[in-house]
Amino acid sequence: MASSYSALLAMAVLLCTAELSLSMEGGSRKLASLYTPPPLVLKYHNGPLLTGKLPLSIVWYGAFTPSQRAIVVDFINSLHQPTSAAAGHPTVSTWWRTVEKYPAAVPNSGSFAASVVPVLMGQTLDSACSLGKTLTRAQISQLASRHAPSAAGGRSLTLVLTSADVAVEGFCMGGCGTHGAHPPSAAYVWAGNSASQCPGTCAWPFHQPIYGPQSPPLVAPNGDVGMDGMVINVASLLAGAVTNPLGNGYYQGAPGAPLEAASACPGMYGKGSYPGYAGSLLVDPTTGASYNAVGLNGRKYLLPALWDPETSSCTTLV
C-alpha cells in the first residue's frame, strides 16, 4: 500500500469554498442551497502505527551537494530535539508533537509507545545512479528495501531522495512523492527534487504555481527552492508513513487515495491561508525568507499544517 502526496490546490478549493446552487422561481433567481463540506475526520482503521524509536536511513540517489544534504539531515535531526536558539519561535519538534498525538488518540492505546522518535542511523550516496536515471515506483521500493536500517522487530524508516536530474514514474503529474511499506513494519518515503521538473507543483509556495491564483513566490528559507520544497514533501510523507504505514491507520477517503495527517490540509502553512495563499508566516528580516519553524543549527523551515486528532481540525504552527 502506497500513498502519494502533491500540491492539492484543486482539492483545497473544494474544501475551502462553498458550492452555491441557484433555482429559478417566478422568473427570478433565488439562492436554493449553500453546500457546507462535511467535517474533516481522519478515522482510525485498527492497523499498526509506527511508534517508539525508529531507526532511519537516507538514500541520496543522484547528485546532491553537501549543503543540500545538510538541509534534510538537519530537519530529520530536529524532529525530536529541542532547539535552544528558537527565541520563542515554533520549532520542528513542536510540529512533530502533533504527529505524536495520533497513537494517544487510539482507544486502549497501551500497545503504542507515547513518542515517535526517528533516529538517523546512516546515509547512502548513490551519485552514480546504480539503477539508471529513470526509475519506476517498484525500483524506489527496491532501493528502500536494499538500504533499510537494521532494527529489532524490523521497525524502521528509509528515505529515498532523488535528485533534480532523475525522472521517477508519476513524479509531478502523479504526486511529489510517496510512502509505502515492506510488511510487517518497515516503512519508506520517497520524494524528488522538483527544481528543474515541476517546481510550480512540488515546490510551491517557493515557486509560481502552474495553475490557480498567481501570487508572488516566497523566498526559500535555505536558499534552495528544490530542497526547501523537498522538505515540505518529506515532512508530509513522514507524517503519513508514521500514522498510516500499512494503509489501515489514520486516513479519510478511499484506501487507494487517502487523505492523511498532512495531505488532508493541502496548501496550509499559516493562519488565514486559502488556495493560492500560504497564510501568515514568519519572515527573516535579513533574507526575506518565509518560514514557520526553527530547527537545529539555526535552520528555518516551512512545514505543512497537520490534522490534529485532539481538535479534529487542521492546525498550523503560526
Side-chain angles (χ1 to χ4, degrees):
M1 166 64 191
S3 173
S4 295
Y5 175 83
S6 62
L8 302 175
L9 293 180
M11 182 175 292
V13 171
L14 292 175
L15 293 175
C16 298
T17 60
E19 178 183 309
L20 299 178
S21 65
L22 298 175
S23 66
M24 299 297 293
E25 183 175 325
S28 64
R29 292 190 176 185
K30 296 182 65 177
L31 184 63
S33 65
L34 180 64
Y35 173 74
T36 301
L40 179 63
V41 177
L42 270 60
K43 295 182 179 180
Y44 175 57
H45 294 78
N46 302 313
L49 309 180
L50 296 182
T51 60
K53 180 180 177 180
L54 295 175
L56 183 148
S57 65
I58 303 177
V59 180
W60 301 97
Y61 192 89
F64 289 91
T65 66
S67 61
Q68 287 179 322
R69 296 197 300 269
I71 292 171
V72 176
V73 169
D74 284 346
F75 168 69
I76 296 298
N77 288 333
S78 298
L79 288 173
H80 216 269
Q81 296 186 27
T83 305
S84 58
H89 292 160
T91 65
V92 173
S93 58
T94 301
W95 177 84
W96 189 248
R97 282 198 288 273
T98 298
V99 174
E100 294 183 313
K101 293 180 181 181
Y102 280 71
V106 174
N108 303 314
S109 59
S111 60
F112 294 123
S115 60
V116 184
V117 188
V119 179
L120 182 59
M121 303 296 288
Q123 303 179 58
T124 300
L125 305 183
D126 192 347
S127 56
C129 298
S130 58
L131 299 180
K133 287 195 172 184
T134 301
L135 301 179
T136 64
R137 294 293 180 95
Q139 288 175 309
I140 293 292
S141 177
Q142 177 185 341
L143 285 168
S145 179
R146 181 188 301 172
H147 299 288
S150 299
R155 296 169 61 260
S156 65
L157 281 166
T158 305
L159 303 186
V160 179
L161 305 179
T162 51
S163 61
D165 61 343
V166 173
V168 178
E169 176 189 2
F171 188 43
C172 300
M173 293 300 291
C176 304
T178 191
H179 76 80
H182 299 119
S185 53
Y188 69 90
V189 163
W190 159 68
N193 184 336
S194 66
S196 61
Q197 298 184 50
C198 54
T201 298
C202 295
W204 184 86
F206 303 126
H207 190 279
Q208 241 10 64
I210 61 171
Y211 56 85
Q214 296 295 303
S215 55
L218 304 180
V219 177
N222 295 288
D224 190 314
V225 169
M227 295 306 296
D228 278 300
M230 178 182 278
V231 168
I232 292 174
N233 297 322
V234 167
S236 303
L237 291 160
L238 278 177
V242 165
T243 59
N244 188 32
L246 301 183
N248 55 2
Y250 278 96
Y251 68 89
Q252 183 192 66
L259 294 179
E260 299 177 324
S263 59
C265 310
M268 300 172 61
Y269 300 95
K271 286 183 172 58
S273 61
Y274 54 81
Y277 174 58
S280 179
L281 303 170
L282 301 172
V283 177
D284 186 299
T286 302
T287 65
S290 295
Y291 66 101
N292 61 7
V294 175
L296 297 176
N297 299 321
R299 291 285 185 191
K300 297 178 175 66
Y301 297 103
L302 186 64
L303 302 179
L306 293 172
W307 187 82
D308 189 328
E310 291 184 352
T311 63
S312 295
S313 63
C314 293
T315 59
T316 59
L317 285 170
V318 296

